[in-house]
Amino acid sequence: MFPIHDIRKDFPILHREVNGKPLVYFDNAATSQTPQQVIDVIVDYYSNHNANIHRGVHTLSQEATDLYEQARQKIQNHFNAKHSHEIILTSGTTHGINLVANGFSELLTEGYEVIVSALEHHSNIVPWQMLCERTGAQLKVLPMLEDGTLDMVAYNKLLSERTKLVFVNHISNALGTINPIETIIAKAHEVGAAILVDGAQACPHLVPDVQALDVDFYVASAHKMCGPTGVGMLYGKESWLKQLPPYQGGGEMISEVTFEKTTYADLPHKFEAGTPNICGGIAFGAALDYMNAIGFENIAAYENELLNYGTEQLLQIDGLKIYGTSQQKTSVISFNLEGIHPYDIGTILDKMGIAVRTGHHCAQPIMDFYNIPGTVRASFAFYNTKAEIDALVEGVKKAKMMLS
Ligand SMILES: *Cc1c(COP(=O)(O)O)cnc(C)c1O
């Protein structure tokens, strides 16, 4: 049995009320909630160890440095990277993507192509558009199908020796589709292209093994997996990270500075200019500890139960349509009620203490594909319950009555 009762006790926020009703938090795909174990680490850091890292000889600085580097090793172990210096601590997924896109500016020219999937988050579209504008490379879109999966036949046709880079998310934040990244990575490599996988939405649900995947770059954000905002990680193969130029200049990323020439620090510091989010990095490590103690297999099995139950219950409502019906899917349900704007449903649900996301979910091209302004998105985490799903279903029924 999944220890849901004990798990919920770990999350103080789950016990507050919103608009006089118990909070039902179903916006986990936007950001997850933080367990007391991670909050304690944050409080302990600022209460006992706060100092700048990598520079001081004094005790606090050494403690902070040790804690920060231990966190990097936890992240390395979790993702099974070969070296800890292949883990770059970033401010989040968006930062990691921009770092890589910027690095490729010098490697791309006219005549080359970059493939981006139609299921992407804006943060995995815009940096590549900017990259293509700068370099003259062409942006190609890997199209999606009606059920919210990627068109793999079209992918095969798009790939050629001109393809330099492929970008795809592991799991779509708008629809929950789990993409077949093993195949996508292998095919990209067959034509000699590098590939970046956006794992922001996958890492809360499963554990990617970057060596087994043979992926070139993999990015994630701590705040979607029980950690704080403003911190994330970029995994890059050592050979790629050595090849790419630094992203930002500043302290920490240099080895020697004179006005004639600056030499850059070794990995990972070459990509970590300035004082990082030290406490955030340490708390990211604590979040991984927390989730690993529950076990990702247990988490996935329980969330799958929630997904199946939620899908069944919601589909009983007349006129409700779910977008994203892939067999391979995580606990995200994106839906609309016929003739009703998603924003209106979201507003009524909030009155009942139920937090969902409404809108295009930073994935406007997907909404254009379905020809809709947006959806209502309920995304479940391992600390949610079937009783909360019942509350959602009741809420949607009520919203339907009020609005139609
Ligand atoms: C949330 C999300 C992002 C952006 O993450 P940030 O933490 O805001 O940088 C990118 N891609 C996907 C798939 C996401 O779900």
Side-chain angles (χ1 to χ4, degrees):
M1 266 282 278
F2 192 71
I4 183 66
H5 191 67
D6 292 336
I7 285 171
R8 285 183 69 81
K9 283 192 207 147
D10 292 337
F11 291 82
I13 207 168
L14 297 181
H15 305 289
R16 68 160 280 183
E17 293 194 340
V18 169
N19 294 323
K21 301 273 164 46
L23 167 68
V24 173
Y25 186 76
F26 283 159
D27 195 17
N28 295 287
T31 202
S32 57
Q33 295 303 345
T34 318
Q36 191 63 49
Q37 288 86 337
V38 173
I39 297 170
D40 287 346
V41 166
I42 294 169
V43 172
D44 177 58
Y45 174 77
Y46 281 112
S47 308
N48 296 305
H49 309 291
N50 183 36
N52 211 330
I53 53 170
H54 297 142
R55 292 171 228 215
V57 290
H58 63 83
T59 301
L60 287 191
S61 174
Q62 283 170 7
E63 285 177 10
T65 304
D66 287 348
L67 288 168
Y68 193 66
E69 290 307 319
Q70 278 163 20
R72 192 192 307 277
Q73 278 165 19
K74 282 180 194 177
I75 298 167
Q76 177 202 354
N77 293 337
H78 182 76
F79 291 94
N80 194 30
K82 193 162 173 196
H83 307 290
S84 66
H85 61 253
E86 291 176 317
I87 302 295
I88 310 298
L89 283 147
T90 61
S91 70
T93 301
T94 304
H95 176 196
I97 293 170
N98 278 281
L99 189 159
V100 176
N102 179 74
F104 269 88
S105 296
E106 299 184 10
L107 304 177
L108 284 176
T109 52
E110 240 171 273
Y112 284 127
E113 291 173 359
V114 173
I115 298 178
V116 176
S117 104
L119 285 178
E120 297 313 301
H121 190 280
H122 292 165
S123 77
N124 208 8
I125 300 176
V126 183
W128 311 120
Q129 279 174 333
M130 290 164 62
L131 172 66
C132 287
E133 271 168 28
R134 279 200 302 272
T135 61
Q138 242 199 318
L139 193 73
K140 298 273 179 179
V141 178
L142 160 54
M144 60 181 279
L145 302 170
E146 187 63 31
D147 65 354
T149 60
L150 290 172
D151 183 345
M152 296 298 281
V153 177
Y155 181 50
N156 288 336
K157 289 190 192 139
L158 281 175
L159 287 167
S160 76
E161 69 284 357
R162 290 186 302 280
T163 313
K164 260 289 191 204
L165 277 168
V166 176
F167 307 104
V168 65
N169 57 35
H170 195 164
I171 294 182
S172 154
N173 67 301
L175 304 176
T177 315
I178 305 176
N179 292 315
I181 59 162
E182 293 81 0
T183 313
I184 295 173
I185 293 166
K187 299 235 180 217
H189 286 161
E190 273 172 28
V191 297
I195 176 155
L196 180 145
V197 174
D198 171 353
Q201 212 56 240
C203 294
H205 309 289
L206 50 83
V207 184
D209 178 330
V210 292
Q211 287 190 75
L213 287 168
D214 194 30
V215 68
D216 299 299
F217 303 98
Y218 195 98
V219 288
S221 297
H223 71 93
K224 298 206 174 155
M225 42 192 317
C226 298
T229 53
V231 65
M233 73 104 203
L234 158 68
Y235 160 80
K237 275 187 192 160
E238 184 186 50
S239 53
W240 274 118
L241 292 179
K242 281 192 166 156
Q243 214 179 319
L244 295 188
Y247 181 41
Q248 291 177 316
E252 208 75 80
M253 55 75 74
I254 40 83
S255 138
E256 216 176 325
V257 177
T258 65
F259 280 108
E260 285 70 44
K261 175 143 185 69
T262 292
T263 50
Y264 303 126
D266 290 335
L267 293 172
H269 308 296
K270 171 180 155 188
F271 291 108
E272 295 182 351
T275 302
N277 183 349
I278 301 167
C279 178
I282 296 166
F284 187 5
L288 291 177
D289 287 344
Y290 178 78
M291 293 191 75
N292 278 313
I294 298 171
F296 276 83
E297 281 183 16
N298 300 329
I299 287 173
Y302 178 73
E303 287 175 343
N304 206 41
E305 255 181 63
L306 294 181
L307 172 66
N308 290 338
Y309 182 73
T311 305
E312 244 170 57
Q313 296 301 311
L314 282 169
L315 281 178
Q316 313 235 330
I317 300 172
D318 245 9
L320 185 141
K321 176 168 174 166
I322 292 179
Y323 300 90
T325 49
S326 168
Q327 289 299 306
Q328 306 297 321
K329 191 177 157 173
T330 46
S331 45
V332 170
I333 304 182
S334 232
F335 65 91
N336 272 331
L337 279 175
E338 210 179 338
I340 299 177
H341 199 280
Y343 179 82
D344 296 335
I345 301 173
T347 308
I348 290 179
L349 289 176
D350 181 59
K351 296 260 187 300
M352 303 175 198
I354 302 169
V356 294
R357 173 102 356 177
T358 64
H360 54 57
H361 319 298
C362 299
Q364 234 163 332
I366 300 181
M367 303 304 136
D368 293 345
F369 174 86
Y370 289 119
N371 201 14
I372 50 177
T375 66
V376 181
R377 182 186 68 186
S379 49
F380 311 137
F382 61 90
Y383 42 72
N384 289 128
T385 64
K386 286 186 183 168
E388 289 179 309
I389 293 175
D390 292 339
L392 170 71
V393 172
E394 281 315 304
V396 173
K397 282 184 184 159
K398 203 162 163 190
K400 191 185 163 195
M401 267 187 346
M402 291 167 70
L403 295 166
S404 53

